[in-house]
Amino acid sequence: MPTADQSPLILVDGSSYLFRAYHVPYLQALSTADGQPTGAITGVLNMIRSLKKDYPNGNVVVVFDAKGKTFRNDMYAEYKANRPPMPDDLRSQIAPIHDIIAAMGLPLLVVEGVEADDVIGTLSHQATALGIETVISTGDKDMAQLVNPHVRLINTMTNVEMDEAAVIEKFGVRPDQIIDYLALVGDKVDNIPGVDKCGPKTAVKWLAKYPSLQEVMAHANEVKGKVGENLRSALAHLPLSYELATIKLDVELEQSVTELKPATADTETLRALYKKYELRRLLADLDKNSDSDEQDADAQDTAGQQNSPEVVAEYDIIRDQASFNTWLEKLNAAKLFAFDTETTSLDYMQAKLVGLSFCVEVGKAAYVPLAHDYADAPEQLDLDWVLAALKPLLESDSVLKVGQNLKYDANVLSHYGIAMQGIAFDTMLESYCLNSVATRHNMDALAEKYLGYKTVHFEDIAGKGAKQLTFNQIDIEKAGHYAAEDADITLRLHQAIYPQLAKIPSQLSVYNDIEIPLLPVLARMEQNGVLIDCDMLAQQSQTIATRLSELEIEAHNIAGKSFNLSSPKQLQVILFEELEIPVIKKTPKGAPSTAEEVLQELALDYPLPKVILENRGLSKLKSTYTDKLPLLVQPKTNRVHTSYHQAVTATGRLSSTDPNLQNIPIRSEEGRKIRLAFIAPPEHKIVAIDYSQIELRIMAHLSDDPGLVKAFSEGKDVHKATAAEIFAVPLDEVTSDQRRSAKAVNFGLIYGMSAFGLAKQLHVPRHTAQAYMDKYFERYPNVAKYMDDTRQQASDDGYVETLFGRRLYLPDIKAKNAMRKKAAERAAINAPMQGTAADIIKKAMLDVDAWIQQQNDDRIKMTMQVHDELIFEIHQDIVEETTAAIVEIMNNTVTMSVPLIAEAGVGDNWEQAH
DNA sequence: CGGGAGACGTA
DNA sequence: GTACGTCTCCCGC
C-alpha cells in the first residue's frame, strides 16, 4: 500500500482558471434560471474533477488570489494598473466556487497580501524540501520558474505537462532562468516593464550568452544596436522587474504543506449547492457515486495520518553487492534521503565506522553493516568498497541529505576521506529552531514529542555502564533494526518538524541562513582543534599541587582538625558549628552557604575563609584545566578537539564540551596563566578578535534610545557616559567608582535586574540602587520603554525574539509561582540581547569561514568561538593583512543603528593575544 | 554507578 | 539579575 508520503501534491491555481473559464465562449452562456452566471464555476469545477481523475492518489489543494492589494503593489504602484476591474458577473461566481470547494473537503487557501502564485510557490518549495512530488495545475507561464526535478506544471485546459526539459523546449531557458527571462521581456498585462524591443528571442539569446539577468546587465555595454541602447536605459528598473516577476517561496501560511489534507466531503451541503447553481452533471455524479465517494474520502483521510508509528516498517540488512547496488540506485534517484552512521564511539575523533543506514521513503530503510567483529559475526560488505561506492553520493551537492546531528556524521566520514556535501536538513536543528526549550533535541526525545513514538534506545541493545557494548560488538540483526529505525525516524521527524518551521518565515530563515550553513563551519573548527603546551600545564599543575598542600595544612591547623577542604558539607560544620562563625547566607536548600561571596566577606574577620578561597580557586584550576586538558589531546593530531553544541542553549548561543573551551580562566592572575598554554604552531600566531560591548550595542539598537545610540556612535566609553548621566557630572569628572557603578547598571539591565540585585552587586543600600536605576531610565527613556514592551510581548505571545527572529518561548511567564514568573521575565529581557549577539557572531563565522575558504590557504584557521570572540591560527607572514580582513568582515556582518566594533589581538598564545 | 547539590570557570 | 559545563562530594541504588 502506498503511504501518504508518496501521494503527489496537486496545487491548483484557482484564480488562473477562473479567468480563463470566464472567457471560454460556451461557458459564458451558462447561468441559472434566475440569471446567476455559472460558467466560471462550471469551468473551475470541471477542471478539479479532471485533475482528481488524472491523479487519483493526488492530494489536491486549491489556491485563489485574495481581494485587495498585494506586496507587489507596495513595491510598484503601477503593478497591474492596466487591469480592468473584475466584471461583476465573474465576481459573483467566486463565493460559490469557494463554498463548493470547501464542501468537497478540499483544502482551500486564500492569503491576503500575496497572490495565489506566491502561496503555490511556498507550498511547492516546502514539498520539495520534504521529498514530495508536486504538480502545479495552472495556465500561467510565469509558474515555469517553480519547475524542478520534483515539481512540474500541468495546464489542465490544454492537458500540456511541463517538466524541466519541456520548460527548456518551450522557453529556451532553464527554469532557474525564467525570472531573468520574464524581467527582460516584461509583461504588458501586469504592467511590468522589460527592455524595449526585447522579446522572447532576444531574451533567450542574451541568457544563452550570459547565464543570468545580473550577468546580462553587467555586460550591457557589449550589446550593439538600438536594443542595446534600450537595455542600457532599462538597467535602472530591471531589478524591480526581476523582483516583481519573482514568485515568493516563503509566504507565512497558517497551515504547512503536510497539514493540508482533504476532509470528508459534506455531501449534503454539496448537493444543496449543486442544486442551487443548477449544476446538473455534478449533481448526477454526486448521486451516482455518493457511496464510493465517501469511501474514497475516508480512505484518503486515513492515509493522511502520516507519521503513524503503526506503519509497517521494512528494514533491510544489506550484506551482498546486488542488494547494495539496488539501494544505491534508489539513493541516486532520490532528491532527498535520510542518513545515519553507526560507530564505536560518541567522540568523533575516536569513532570508527561500524555501519551506515539509509531511508528514502518512510517505513523503508536499510542498514549496511561494515565492521561488526564479534565472534561468529557474519560476513559483511567491504568497508572501503562501500564507501567508494557512496562517496559521489555523499559528496554531491544536489542530492540532499537529512540527518539527526549530521555534524557528527560529517566529522566521522571526514576521517574516511569523505567530505560530505548537500547537508540540507538536520532534524536536531529543526527542532531547536522551532522551539529551543520545548524538549531536548536528541532523537529519542524528538520521536516521542513529534511522532508519539518510543524508539529503541541504544541501551536496550548495548546494555549500560561499564559492560556496555560498542556498536561493532552488537548482533547484526539487532543492530540493523536499531540503525535502520534511526534513519526511518529521522525522515519521519523531518516530515513532521520542517513544515512547522516553514510556517514562520523568520524561524525558517534562522534555520536555513544561520544554523544549517553553520554546521559545516563548526565541523571544520572542531577538526582544526587547538594546540596545547602540555609541558607548561604539567609544570603549572606541579606548582599548584605544592601550594594546595600548604593550604591544606594551614586550614587543618586553623580548624584544629583534619577535614576535606573541597567538601562544602564538612566545611559548613567546621565554620558554622565548630568555629561558630555567623551564617550570612543560605543555599536554596536551606543549608548555610559557603559560597565565594560569603567567604569573601568572612575573610575580613576570620582567617580560615581566606585559605579555603585560595584552595578552592586553585583546585578548580588544577582539576578542570591543568590536569584535564593534556588528557584530552588527541594522539592523532596532537591537538585538543572540542565539541560545539548547536542545539543546547535557550538563547541561541553555542556551548562547548570535552573540553569546554568557553570557560578557560581569564579573570584571576593565576587562572589567566592557563591561556599561556594555548599556543600557535611554529611560524604561526594566535589571533583573538572580539566584539566590543556587543550586547549593550544591541540594547542600543533594539531600544533605539537616542542617548545610548549617540554614545556608541560617537565612540564614547559607554560606561563612563552612563556614569555622567546617572551622577549628573561632566564626562571628564567621572570617578572610577562612578564608572564601576554605571557599568554594573549597564550589565544589570542586560540581565533584567532589580534594584535589589543591583544593591547586592554594588554593596549599596537598596534605595541608592533604586535611585541609580530611576536616573538611568530618566536619561535613557527608550530603554525603559523597550524593557516594558519586551515584558509585554513575552506575556502576550509567550515568547520573545531576537533581531533575526529566533524565538525563545517562556512558558513560565504565566507561572503562578512568583519566583518562576519573575525569573521568566528576566530571561525575557535578556534573551533578545544575548540571542541577537549569538545570531550576529554566528553570521560573522559564516562570513569569515566563506572568506577563508575562498582564500584556500591552509595558513589561516578558525579554531575557537567564545560567544563574542573568535580565535584564529594565522601564519606570521600574513598575520597583519589577514587579521585586518577578518576584522573588516566582522565589523560589516550586520548593519545596526550603532557601529559594531571588532577588536583584534595577536600573540604567540591566547594570553598574549588579549 | 548515577545523579543531585554546591561550588566556580566563562560571556 | 542572564546563559552555560565541569568538578567534587555524597547519597542511594
Side-chain angles (χ1 to χ4, degrees):
Chain A
M1 175 188 133
T3 65
D5 312 279
Q6 285 176 293
S7 51
L9 176 68
I10 315 295
L11 296 171
V12 182
D13 183 357
S15 294
S16 135
Y17 286 116
L18 190 70
F19 282 101
R20 280 172 173 76
Y22 177 74
H23 289 104
V24 172
Y26 80 89
L27 290 172
Q28 276 176 335
L30 298 179
S31 70
T32 61
D34 56 7
Q36 159 74 40
T38 56
I41 301 177
T42 309
V44 171
L45 294 180
N46 281 343
M47 206 254 328
I48 290 175
R49 193 160 156 267
S50 124
L51 273 172
K52 287 183 80 167
K53 207 174 88 206
D54 292 348
Y55 302 95
N57 271 336
N59 183 18
V60 176
V61 173
V62 189
V63 186
F64 281 91
D65 289 332
K67 279 185 288 196
K69 308 223 158 185
T70 71
F71 71 98
R72 289 193 180 79
N73 297 104
D74 296 336
M75 276 164 52
Y76 181 53
E78 302 300 304
Y79 182 67
K80 294 195 173 175
N82 294 343
R83 287 241 177 133
M86 188 185 282
D88 286 342
D89 56 343
L90 177 53
R91 189 186 304 278
S92 69
Q93 298 187 61
I94 293 178
I97 292 176
H98 289 186
D99 291 346
I100 292 169
I101 290 170
M104 291 168 101
L106 297 178
L108 172 71
L109 275 79
V110 183
V111 182
E112 270 178 47
V114 297
E115 297 177 53
D117 300 24
D118 303 304
V119 176
I120 289 171
T122 301
L123 290 173
S124 73
H125 189 63
Q126 287 182 13
T128 299
L130 295 171
I132 299 171
E133 294 289 316
T134 304
V135 179
I136 299 173
S137 171
T138 181
D140 185 348
K141 66 175 181 350
D142 295 7
M143 295 269 202
Q145 66 185 269
L146 299 176
V147 170
N148 68 37
H150 295 256
V151 177
R152 59 189 196 276
L153 305 185
I154 171 98
N155 184 330
T156 310
M157 298 188 82
T158 59
N159 239 342
V160 174
E161 267 207 29
M162 211 187 288
D163 59 8
E164 278 187 299
V167 169
I168 295 171
E169 195 180 328
K170 180 168 162 65
F171 293 95
V173 296
R174 297 187 310 272
D176 60 283
Q177 295 173 305
I178 289 286
I179 306 173
D180 310 275
Y181 169 94
L182 293 171
L184 286 169
V185 174
D187 189 326
K188 288 266 166 5
V189 182
D190 289 350
N191 212 18
I192 297 180
V195 174
D196 266 3
K197 292 287 173 314
C198 171
K201 288 272 160 53
T202 311
V204 168
K205 192 177 80 190
W206 288 347
L207 288 170
K209 194 162 177 198
Y210 313 110
S212 67
L213 178 63
Q214 238 181 349
E215 288 298 308
V216 171
M217 290 169 67
H219 294 89
N221 286 331
E222 299 163 21
V223 180
K224 293 193 215 79
K226 182 70 185 160
V227 72
E229 274 173 45
N230 291 347
L231 171 59
R232 287 184 284 281
S233 58
L235 286 178
H237 71 244
L238 279 174
L240 175 67
S241 300
Y242 184 92
E243 286 280 301
L244 290 169
T246 304
I247 294 174
K248 275 178 97 102
L249 305 177
D250 61 352
V251 171
E252 186 158 354
L253 299 176
E254 280 172 28
Q255 285 175 300
S256 65
V257 65
T258 52
E259 290 167 327
L260 296 167
K261 297 285 170 188
T264 310
D266 180 350
T267 322
E268 284 320 301
T269 309
L270 214 44
R271 184 172 285 118
L273 286 164
Y274 288 167
K275 272 188 187 148
K276 179 171 175 193
Y277 297 107
E278 301 173 11
L279 304 167
R280 290 179 196 89
R281 188 163 138 210
L282 289 164
L283 192 59
D285 274 4
L286 186 67
D287 289 334
K288 191 173 68 194
N289 297 326
S290 65
D291 296 338
S292 61
D293 258 9
E294 278 174 42
Q295 271 170 13
D296 280 358
D298 286 348
Q300 254 186 333
D301 217 26
T302 315
Q305 288 172 13
Q306 51 149 12
N307 299 324
S308 156
E310 314 313 330
V311 172
V312 180
E314 278 176 44
Y315 295 157
D316 300 337
I317 294 178
I318 308 286
R319 287 177 36 229
D320 65 279
Q321 297 197 349
S323 325
F324 178 81
N325 286 333
T326 308
W327 262 92
L328 194 60
E329 274 171 39
K330 252 204 251 192
L331 295 175
N332 266 312
K335 170 91 175 170
L336 171 75
F337 66 82
F339 163 71
D340 190 26
T341 57
E342 302 301 339
T343 69
T344 53
S345 168
L346 285 174
D347 175 350
Y348 64 87
M349 289 302 291
Q350 314 258 354
K352 296 262 182 296
L353 205 51
V354 177
L356 298 165
S357 54
F358 303 95
C359 177
V360 175
E361 184 185 317
V362 159
K364 294 185 184 168
Y367 177 61
V368 186
L370 297 168
H372 291 258
D373 55 3
Y374 52 90
D376 307 329
E379 199 177 323
Q380 297 146 64
L381 286 171
D382 180 65
L383 187 141
D384 293 329
W385 182 82
V386 167
L387 288 183
L390 285 169
K391 187 174 158 82
L393 201 61
L394 293 170
E395 294 187 341
S396 159
D397 217 4
S398 53
V399 181
L400 307 184
K401 289 90 180 175
V402 55
Q404 164 73 12
N405 190 15
L406 276 175
K407 173 156 66 67
Y408 175 83
D409 305 274
N411 271 333
V412 171
L413 286 173
S414 76
H415 296 148
Y416 291 85
I418 291 177
M420 264 193 87
Q421 297 284 317
I423 298 178
F425 305 104
D426 190 311
T427 47
M428 179 179 81
L429 299 179
E430 286 173 6
S431 170
Y432 180 65
C433 292
L434 184 64
N435 187 330
S436 65
V437 291
T439 169
R440 293 183 59 215
H441 307 282
N442 56 329
M443 188 183 298
D444 293 347
L446 297 188
E448 189 144 5
K449 177 174 168 64
Y450 292 102
L451 307 177
Y453 181 72
K454 279 208 197 312
T455 50
V456 178
H457 294 15
F458 182 66
E459 278 148 27
D460 300 337
I461 60 166
K464 55 179 184 165
K467 281 178 294 185
Q468 188 172 63
L469 301 173
T470 48
F471 211 83
N472 53 313
Q473 300 167 307
I474 294 171
D475 175 77
I476 285 188
E477 290 297 321
K478 271 199 222 167
H481 181 84
Y482 168 88
E485 183 185 81
D486 271 7
D488 182 15
I489 294 290
T490 300
L491 189 59
R492 290 172 199 256
L493 282 172
H494 173 57
Q495 295 192 349
I497 307 174
Y498 184 83
Q500 295 190 46
L501 194 61
K503 274 199 269 185
I504 300 150
S506 64
Q507 279 177 299
L508 185 63
S509 124
V510 167
Y511 174 75
N512 278 328
D513 304 337
I514 299 180
E515 301 300 351
I516 286 287
L518 189 65
L519 186 157
V521 177
L522 294 176
R524 273 191 278 282
M525 289 170 68
E526 291 177 350
Q527 294 287 347
N528 285 342
V530 295
L531 192 59
I532 300 286
D533 184 339
C534 292
D535 294 341
M536 180 184 288
L537 289 177
Q539 220 161 24
Q540 291 184 14
S541 276
Q542 274 294 317
T543 314
I544 293 173
T546 311
R547 179 67 187 144
L548 280 177
S549 50
E550 287 170 18
L551 288 167
E552 190 175 6
I553 292 164
E554 202 178 333
H556 291 173
N557 283 341
I558 299 171
K561 64 192 279 194
S562 170
F563 69 102
N564 186 341
L565 275 70
S566 31
S567 167
K569 214 174 164 189
Q570 292 184 29
L571 183 63
Q572 275 164 29
V573 177
I574 301 280
L575 286 177
F576 304 114
E577 289 175 24
E578 302 191 359
L579 298 179
E580 296 181 330
I581 294 173
V583 175
I584 292 183
K585 195 186 124 183
K586 298 205 168 174
T587 67
K589 291 261 298 178
S593 168
T594 64
E596 192 205 37
E597 52 163 329
V598 174
L599 298 189
Q600 288 290 5
E601 196 171 332
L602 295 178
L604 301 174
D605 301 315
Y606 305 91
L608 186 54
K610 188 162 178 281
V611 179
I612 299 292
L613 279 171
E614 191 181 349
N615 175 284
R616 274 193 187 157
L618 289 176
S619 60
K620 178 80 179 177
L621 290 181
K622 184 166 183 293
S623 63
T624 312
Y625 306 106
T626 59
D627 285 352
K628 191 67 192 296
L629 282 172
L631 299 178
L632 292 165
V633 170
Q634 295 290 332
K636 250 193 258 184
T637 59
N638 237 339
R639 298 164 74 99
V640 172
H641 302 263
T642 186
S643 290
Y644 288 106
H645 300 280
Q646 221 178 332
V648 168
T649 71
T651 53
R653 276 187 176 179
L654 298 175
S655 80
S656 154
T657 64
D658 310 300
N660 180 355
L661 293 182
Q662 295 180 319
N663 71 344
I664 303 300
I666 190 167
R667 287 171 196 168
S668 76
E669 183 72 40
E670 323 84 82
R672 197 153 51 234
K673 287 185 183 149
I674 289 168
R675 292 185 175 225
L676 292 169
F678 284 72
I679 53 174
E683 300 184 9
H684 286 66
K685 295 285 181 188
I686 297 289
V687 177
I689 312 179
D690 72 309
Y691 278 121
S692 149
Q693 309 281 13
I694 187 166
E695 291 187 11
L696 265 185
R697 287 172 196 269
I698 290 164
M699 184 166 90
H701 175 83
L702 292 176
S703 67
D704 202 23
D705 186 278
L708 210 51
V709 169
K710 186 158 174 275
F712 278 121
S713 299
E714 293 175 356
K716 284 190 186 147
D717 173 343
V718 70
H719 299 314
K720 204 167 162 187
T722 304
E725 296 290 353
I726 297 180
F727 298 106
V729 294
L731 198 63
D732 49 13
E733 285 173 30
V734 171
T735 66
S736 67
D737 219 42
Q738 287 171 327
R739 184 180 181 282
R740 194 179 56 81
S741 299
K743 188 173 170 181
V745 174
N746 278 329
F747 273 98
L749 283 164
I750 292 171
Y751 297 151
M753 71 166 177
S754 61
F756 179 78
L758 182 64
K760 219 167 67 173
Q761 171 77 22
L762 289 175
H763 300 113
V764 296
R766 189 138 127 217
H767 67 263
T768 311
Q770 186 65 56
Y772 292 169
M773 284 177 65
D774 290 347
K775 197 73 186 171
Y776 185 99
F777 286 134
E778 188 188 315
R779 307 303 296 181
Y780 302 108
N782 283 12
V783 174
K785 181 174 184 316
Y786 170 72
M787 300 284 165
D788 285 343
D789 290 350
T790 304
R791 266 186 283 264
Q792 190 63 46
Q793 199 216 332
S795 159
D796 291 348
D797 303 337
Y799 62 83
V800 290
E801 284 180 329
T802 68
L803 188 56
F804 303 96
R806 184 193 298 276
R807 284 186 185 177
L808 173 60
Y809 287 89
L810 298 150
D812 271 0
I813 203 81
K814 298 274 183 204
K816 295 263 192 299
N817 180 325
M819 268 239 299
R820 293 173 69 124
K821 190 175 143 116
K822 284 280 175 203
E825 283 181 4
R826 291 191 296 267
I829 297 289
N830 176 255
M833 291 181 268
Q834 190 184 119
T836 300
D839 292 343
I840 290 174
I841 193 144
K842 282 178 171 178
K843 281 173 175 285
M845 290 166 76
L846 296 177
D847 292 351
V848 170
D849 179 77
W851 181 82
I852 293 175
Q853 298 288 318
Q854 192 194 325
Q855 301 306 299
N856 193 24
D857 183 340
D858 62 10
R859 295 177 299 171
I860 311 169
K861 286 195 169 72
M862 178 153 62
T863 59
M864 289 191 268
Q865 188 253 41
V866 190
H867 306 311
D868 64 359
E869 175 185 14
L870 297 176
I871 293 99
F872 302 85
E873 272 174 15
I874 302 175
H875 194 277
Q876 59 193 17
D877 293 351
I878 53 170
V879 70
E880 275 179 38
E881 61 269 35
T882 305
T883 303
I886 296 174
V887 165
E888 179 72 8
I889 292 168
M890 289 175 69
N891 282 340
N892 291 294
T893 293
V894 297
T895 306
M896 298 194 298
S897 52
V898 294
L900 208 51
I901 305 285
E903 293 172 340
V906 180
D908 291 325
N909 57 61
W910 195 5
E911 217 285 307
Q912 273 184 16
H914 255 279

